[in-house]
């Protein structure tokens, strides 16, 4: 494991929540680093909205995003169980859980995943979501990697909650609702860009994210401008 990258990631997750931070980009950083450093083929983040309903907020690739959506739509899977209990759910071989989550296991296997660990995003008795790490091959997870994955989830959770003061729940709910609205814009922009440039959805997201970072802009603002064709965005086909 790259120790320097690990240390840098902890600093980024702890210090990324500024006045105008981008929650979607923050969570995508979390999933990307989990895949890059830990024993995972893909990663996703589910967060609860103001009504306590889980939403897919970030995924390391399009395939796992769709799998996370399938979990939510069918109300079964390790990530939902993790959120409900506030405890890790670690499955070394998904095929052995076919009776527990028949629809999820079938789709996960079809998507190329053989193992998963869902780690709670929790501070004390409050669980706000789950960090989900998928692996292609079945078999035991590396215990140190699991500990680091939980530590990353914990740091991200603290960052998400650190702005809660007197109006704690209102602040986070508004923040998550804004992120949910941004997620819709980004998905629309991904689809439009993918169609326009004949690329896949993951490449479209990378292009939008790269443009936003290169121009020091919020990802949702770039997505809105691209959808509306309200300004020229060199390199994005508008």
């Amino acid at each position: 494991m790259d120790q320097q990258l690990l240390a840098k990631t902890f600093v980024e997750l702890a210090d990324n929540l500024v006045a105008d931070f981008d929650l979607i980009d923050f969570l995508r950083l979390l999933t990307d680093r989990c895949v890059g450093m830990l024993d995972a083929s893909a990663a996703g983040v589910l967060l609860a909205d103001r009504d306590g309903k889980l939403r897919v907020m970030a995924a390391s690739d399009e395939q796992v995003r769709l799998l996370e959506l399938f979990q939510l739509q069918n109300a079964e899977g390790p990530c939902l169980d993790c959120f409900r209990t506030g405890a890790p759910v670690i499955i070394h071989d998904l095929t052995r859980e076919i009776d527990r989550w028949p629809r999820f296991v079938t789709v996960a296997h079809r998507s190329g995943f053989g193992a998963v660990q869902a780690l709670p995003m929790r501070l004390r008795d409050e669980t706000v979501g789950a960090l989900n790490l998928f692996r292609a091959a079945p078999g035991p997870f590396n215990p140190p990697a699991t500990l680091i994955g939980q530590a990353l989830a914990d740091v991200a959770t603290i960052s998400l909650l650190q702005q809660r003061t007197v109006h704690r729940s209102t602040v986070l709910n508004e923040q998550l609702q804004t992120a949910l609205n941004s997620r819709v814009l980004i998905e629309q922009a991904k689809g439009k860009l993918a169609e326009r440039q004949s690329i896949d959805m993951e490449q479209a997201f990378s292009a939008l994210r790269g443009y936003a970072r290169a121009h020091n802009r919020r990802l949702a603002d770039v997505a809105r401008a691209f959808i509306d064709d309200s300004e020229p965005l060199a390199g994005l086909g508008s």
Side-chain angles (χ1 to χ4, degrees), residues 54-178:
L54 282 176
R55 305 284 187 175
V56 180
M57 298 305 300
S60 60
D61 58 52
E62 185 68 12
Q63 188 175 45
V64 78
R65 186 184 76 85
L66 294 175
L67 181 58
E68 296 280 44
L69 283 173
F70 183 86
Q71 274 195 92
L72 298 182
Q73 291 166 354
N74 289 274
E76 67 168 51
C79 309
L80 275 72
D81 287 4
C82 173
F83 176 72
R84 290 167 184 150
T85 64
V89 176
I90 300 177
I91 306 299
H92 299 153
D93 187 348
L94 274 169
T95 59
R96 297 183 179 181
E97 305 296 330
I98 189 69
D99 293 333
R100 185 177 180 183
W101 307 305
R103 288 169 293 186
F104 171 78
V105 169
T106 299
V107 173
H109 180 71
R110 191 182 304 149
S111 300
F113 299 119
V116 62
Q117 52 183 345
L119 307 175
M121 297 183 69
R122 182 191 63 215
L123 182 62
R124 300 184 183 90
D125 60 350
E126 183 171 12
T127 304
V128 300
L131 169 65
N132 313 306
L133 307 178
F134 297 87
R135 198 181 58 205
F141 285 90
N142 184 347
T146 297
L147 291 175
I148 292 172
Q150 184 63 68
L152 291 172
D154 292 343
V155 171
T157 304
I158 292 169
S159 291
L160 288 171
L161 299 177
Q162 73 178 6
Q163 284 190 345
R164 289 188 176 189
T165 52
V166 177
H167 304 292
R168 294 173 70 246
S169 60
T170 301
V171 171
L172 184 64
N173 285 339
E174 290 178 353
Q175 188 180 75
L176 293 182
Q177 190 59 47
T178 298

Side-chain angles (χ1 to χ4, degrees), residues 72 131 205 209 233:
L72 298 182
L131 169 65
F205 178 82
R209 187 189 193 194
L233 300 173

Side-chain angles (χ1 to χ4, degrees), residues 11-26:
V11 171
E12 288 175 320
L13 291 176
D15 195 40
N16 210 354
L17 199 60
V18 294
D20 194 35
F21 96 118
D22 190 326
L23 179 58
I24 299 297
D25 197 47
F26 172 78

